[in-house]
Amino acid sequence: MLSVGRLLPRATGNRAFYVRCEWNVFLLDDANTLVDSEFSLGVLDESPCVIVESSGGANPARGVTRRNPDYNKLLGLLLQRLANADARLTAVLLDSNRVADISISDRTAKLDHPYPIDLSVEDIDEIRRMMGRAVAMMHRAPHAKTGGNAQKRIRLCLDRTVSPPQLLTARAGTELSNEITDDHAPGHTETEQAYIRKARIGQGQFRSLLLESYNTTCPILGISNPELLVASHIKPWSACTNQERLDPKNGILLSSLFDKLFDRGLITFNNDGTMIISPSLSSEDRAKCNLHQVPQLSLSNASEPYMEYHRVCVYKHT
């Protein structure tokens, strides 16, 4: 994804780490212009989804500009690119913190169209407007007199996994990838851009926190030579918000071989830490990689959502 934002340090004990501050993940419109609204990829009950962040929050008196002003444009582009990827919409969920404890059924948007919705045969703009009308009416204050906010944080649940390149732009390919990179960050200082580049490849503060968390040891092989250890993201960089990209709970410290297996989706882990081996890996290669004697990985609760994404969207099931 393309990212624009600003990193601010926050002290914690005797060290500082970087936190998210008004940081967005963008895509490009059909004219290759950045769309100023944030989204990310995720999973819910082992089903892939796209999360669209809410719009609003402007306060001219305090000089605060509106958050995610291109919400409708972003949503329309995402729906069109999901249609191009042959993805069907299985549900639209309200997904703000205020409704986090409400049942899925009570925060599912009731559209004038039955789920699942085959986006490839629908009028995308009409589907977007229909979603806005339904979302605006959901969980309003009892005596609200306005039409409601149609640009809330929502989760688009899908019947198939989509990859970031399928959503990024209408013309994703070699030409585009040569023009821009995942750490594209207009408006940043050179220092900030260097930090982003280091985080993307598992270096800098992200790596330091993982080395500390894992006691500079691969939890699978026990290798402790730092030169042989890779600080890898569990949920891939291109599918994350920037907050997730900098979260050490979205990291795992592995030896080079196991990092490659994990990155390619040839292995993954259950929440109890047991390894799952892809059926696409031959029995001969499994034996050579010594995958039959792998210890159970210890995962924190905060890492489980990231690993769920890896199991559903990265792991090669066939």
Side-chain angles (χ1 to χ4, degrees):
M1 297 299 170
L2 301 180
S3 56
V4 179
R6 187 163 300 278
L7 293 169
L8 298 179
R10 185 175 72 190
T12 172
N14 295 322
R15 65 177 184 268
F17 67 100
Y18 286 85
V19 297
R20 178 182 180 227
C21 180
E22 296 182 358
W23 190 303
N24 295 323
V25 181
F26 296 94
L27 54 68
L28 298 175
D29 65 15
D30 293 346
N32 279 337
T33 301
L34 286 169
V35 179
D36 192 1
S37 280
E38 180 184 8
F39 77 101
S40 62
L41 303 184
V43 294
L44 180 68
D45 293 336
E46 300 190 351
S47 295
C49 53
V50 177
I51 302 100
V52 180
E53 298 298 331
S54 64
S55 180
N59 189 329
R62 296 173 54 193
V64 178
T65 57
R66 181 184 172 196
R67 179 182 65 252
N68 298 326
D70 288 345
Y71 182 100
N72 285 335
K73 181 177 183 180
L74 171 74
L75 183 55
L77 288 168
L78 286 173
L79 291 173
Q80 184 59 63
R81 289 169 191 174
L82 289 171
N84 295 342
D86 294 325
R88 296 197 302 171
L89 196 60
T90 60
V92 176
L93 306 180
L94 199 59
D95 205 50
S96 65
N97 290 334
R98 293 178 58 185
V99 300
D101 296 329
I102 298 174
S103 68
I104 295 294
S105 60
D106 287 341
R107 52 191 178 98
T108 299
K110 309 267 191 307
L111 304 184
D112 300 327
H113 196 300
Y115 296 115
I117 300 175
D118 184 351
L119 295 170
S120 66
V121 298
E122 298 293 338
D123 182 323
I124 293 299
D125 199 46
E126 176 54 34
I127 293 293
R128 181 190 62 77
R129 289 195 299 268
M130 183 191 306
M131 289 167 51
R133 291 193 296 269
V135 167
M137 300 301 295
M138 295 178 69
H139 299 282
R140 300 166 63 208
H143 305 294
K145 300 184 184 304
T146 62
N149 180 12
Q151 300 184 353
K152 299 170 183 170
R153 188 179 196 264
I154 58 174
R155 186 177 291 258
L156 310 178
C157 299
L158 309 172
D159 69 339
R160 65 173 57 197
T161 300
V162 293
S163 65
Q166 290 175 292
L167 301 178
L168 175 61
T169 177
R171 64 178 186 92
T174 303
E175 180 182 356
L176 179 64
S177 63
N178 288 337
E179 296 172 5
I180 55 178
T181 65
D182 284 343
D183 51 9
H184 177 70
H188 283 264
T189 66
E190 285 298 321
T191 299
E192 291 167 340
Q193 291 186 37
Y195 179 83
I196 297 167
R197 287 192 292 271
K198 287 180 179 180
R200 179 166 63 89
I201 60 175
Q203 298 296 327
Q205 187 73 3
F206 181 80
R207 176 178 172 84
S208 297
L209 290 172
L210 283 184
L211 287 170
E212 179 181 338
S213 176
Y214 283 90
N215 196 27
T216 318
T217 303
C218 170
I220 296 176
L221 293 182
I223 291 175
S224 57
N225 185 333
E227 294 186 18
L228 300 176
L229 299 177
V230 180
S232 181
H233 285 81
I234 300 173
K235 180 179 178 181
W237 177 274
S238 59
C240 292
T241 64
N242 282 282
Q243 183 178 20
E244 293 171 334
R245 291 172 174 175
L246 304 179
D247 182 2
K249 299 301 182 183
N250 186 26
I252 185 170
L253 190 71
L254 296 172
S255 66
S256 299
L257 171 61
F258 277 84
D259 169 72
K260 185 66 69 174
L261 290 167
F262 186 75
D263 181 65
R264 295 291 186 268
L266 296 173
I267 62 170
T268 191
F269 296 89
N270 287 309
N271 285 343
D272 65 3
T274 54
M275 179 180 289
I276 307 171
I277 305 172
S278 171
S280 66
L281 198 62
S282 70
S283 58
E284 291 83 2
D285 284 340
R286 294 185 191 202
K288 291 175 182 178
C289 293
N290 199 26
L291 295 182
H292 300 296
Q293 301 179 18
V294 173
Q296 192 167 332
L297 191 69
S298 178
L299 283 176
S300 69
N301 291 338
S303 294
E304 290 179 2
Y306 297 123
M307 192 61 75
E308 182 185 13
Y309 183 89
H310 189 274
R311 282 196 304 273
V312 173
C313 299
V314 180
Y315 172 69
K316 294 179 179 177
H317 297 79
T318 59

